[in-house]
Amino acid sequence: MDDADKATPADVVRAPRGRLRDAVKTIAVFALLGPVVGYVSVAVPFALSEGSRSSVHQSLLTAVVNLPFGAVFAFVFGGVPAFVTGLLVAALSFRPMSATMRIALAAALGFVVVLVLQRWVAEAVAGGGAVVLPLAGALSAAACAWISRRWVPQLDAGSE
């Protein structure tokens, strides 16, 4: 990104309609891709950890075959956290920041949003779900922030 592409706070104030459009795009990326990335970030490690080494390919194939069902599951349970995280990241993106800072902030927000909603909706999460799901939210939010990084004002050209 060259100096002409860097936004200043005055640019953000001057173009509210464009900033709003960019915020809607960011929210859409989080809402549409976030649950699927979260599902994959949970399903693949579970597929790799179950069974013997000879059955790893079968476990991964099962995870891929179950992707349509998993996507429905992902949107049912991950749609609200992804939308809320996207909304928060888009709201914070009105202030120029580096892409690295935005991705880190998105990951932290994804972790916190999933943790809070998980505790609020289901107080008794069995097993390792209490840690796995917020980590999936953080990974998903970081991936979505990386995908949508082109639509937000950047402070430094070397951040990408």
Side-chain angles (χ1 to χ4, degrees), residues 91-114:
L92 293 173
S93 294
F94 280 99
R95 181 171 184 199
M97 66 180 79
S98 71
T100 304
M101 179 61 103
R102 183 172 183 269
I103 291 169
L105 181 65
L109 284 172
F111 185 89
V112 169
V113 166
V114 172

Side-chain angles (χ1 to χ4, degrees), residues 65-119:
V65 168
N66 288 331
L67 189 60
F69 172 73
V72 171
F73 177 78
F75 279 100
V76 168
F77 292 100
V80 171
F83 178 79
V84 170
T85 304
L87 193 62
L88 292 172
V89 170
L92 293 173
S93 294
F94 280 99
R95 181 171 184 199
M97 66 180 79
S98 71
T100 304
M101 179 61 103
R102 183 172 183 269
I103 291 169
L105 181 65
L109 284 172
F111 185 89
V112 169
V113 166
V114 172
L115 185 66
V116 167
L117 289 176
Q118 170 182 303
R119 296 285 184 206

Side-chain angles (χ1 to χ4, degrees), residues 6-75:
K6 285 195 248 178
T8 64
D11 295 334
V12 175
V13 172
R14 272 196 306 254
R17 195 174 314 157
R19 300 285 355 125
L20 184 60
R21 187 175 329 128
D22 294 344
V24 169
K25 287 188 220 176
T26 299
I27 294 168
V29 166
F30 275 80
L32 296 175
L33 295 180
V36 176
V37 173
Y39 167 74
V40 170
S41 69
V42 171
V44 169
F46 279 131
L48 292 175
S49 67
E50 76 178 33
S52 65
R53 286 189 168 194
S54 62
S55 67
V56 168
H57 70 282
Q58 185 177 3
S59 297
L60 285 174
L61 182 62
T62 302
V64 171
V65 168
N66 288 331
L67 189 60
F69 172 73
V72 171
F73 177 78
F75 279 100

